[in-house]
């Protein structure tokens, strides 16, 4: 079911070749692995939104611990990092956001990102919080900042 919630995730990851352990040969991601990544991306999105991640990248970090990935043919393989996790969580957020608004779901070709969604909002470039931080900069770095603040104040 998570793959149904994140259509196109397999396309986003189609070039990935993964070596999960030193005893296994590198291989392309299987449909089951894409399904697991979709589920972990959704779980991590929820964990980050609610501030419940036991580590920075929650379920994604747990699932992919020790993976070495070659993202595109001809590039050097490396371990998954924060930018990879951020891309997966952004994709999950974009799928849910666009599904709720009734617009077309994102794909790798559309170039739609959280930053694009934030850029389209009517947020004044000079809008700042009482402590002097720029609102747009906060949202670009952490799209869930205000959601967590709202939840904290509501509880």
């Amino acid at each position: 079911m998570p793959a149904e919630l994140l259509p196109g995730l397999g396309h986003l990851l189609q070039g990935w070749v993964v070596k999960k352990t030193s005893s296994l040969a590198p291989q392309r991601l299987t449909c089951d692995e894409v399904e697991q990544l979709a589920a972990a991306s959704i779980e991590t999105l929820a964990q980050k939104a609610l501030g419940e991640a036991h580590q920075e990248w929650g379920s994604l970090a747990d699932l992919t611990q020790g993976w070495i990935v070659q993202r595109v043919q001809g590039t050097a393989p490396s371990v998954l990092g924060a930018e990879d996790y951020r891309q997966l969580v952004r994709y999950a957020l974009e799928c849910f956001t666009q599904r709720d608004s009734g617009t077309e779901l994102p794909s790798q070709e559309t170039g739609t990102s959280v930053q694009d969604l934030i850029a389209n909002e009517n947020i004044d470039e000079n809008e700042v919080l009482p402590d002097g931080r720029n609102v747009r900069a906060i949202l670009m770095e952490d799209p869930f900042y205000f959601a967590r603040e709202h939840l904290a104040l509501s509880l």
Side-chain angles (χ1 to χ4, degrees), residues 64-106:
T64 62
Q65 184 176 11
W67 285 19
I68 298 174
V69 179
Q70 181 180 25
R71 290 151 194 82
V72 179
Q73 187 174 3
T75 62
S78 62
V79 296
L80 290 173
E83 189 53 40
D84 298 303
Y85 298 138
R86 191 173 291 116
Q87 181 182 14
L88 291 167
V89 171
R90 272 187 196 138
Y91 189 81
L93 178 62
E94 291 167 9
C95 286
F96 290 125
T97 302
Q98 292 186 354
R99 177 173 286 127
D100 289 344
S101 67
T103 59
E104 183 180 322
L105 292 172

Side-chain angles (χ1 to χ4, degrees), residues 121-147:
E121 292 294 319
N122 293 328
I123 301 171
D124 183 14
E125 290 287 334
N126 300 321
E127 189 171 354
V128 295
L129 296 177
D131 62 8
R133 294 180 294 160
N134 184 286
V135 171
R136 186 177 289 260
I138 291 171
L139 288 173
M140 295 297 263
E141 183 178 318
D142 182 7
F144 300 111
Y145 176 81
F146 291 106

Side-chain angles (χ1 to χ4, degrees), residues 6 23 31 33 37 60 66-67 81-82 87 99 106 112 120 126-127 144:
L6 303 181
S23 61
C31 291
E33 291 166 336
L37 279 169
L60 273 173
W67 285 19
Q87 181 182 14
R99 177 173 286 127
T112 304
N120 290 337
N126 300 321
E127 189 171 354
F144 300 111

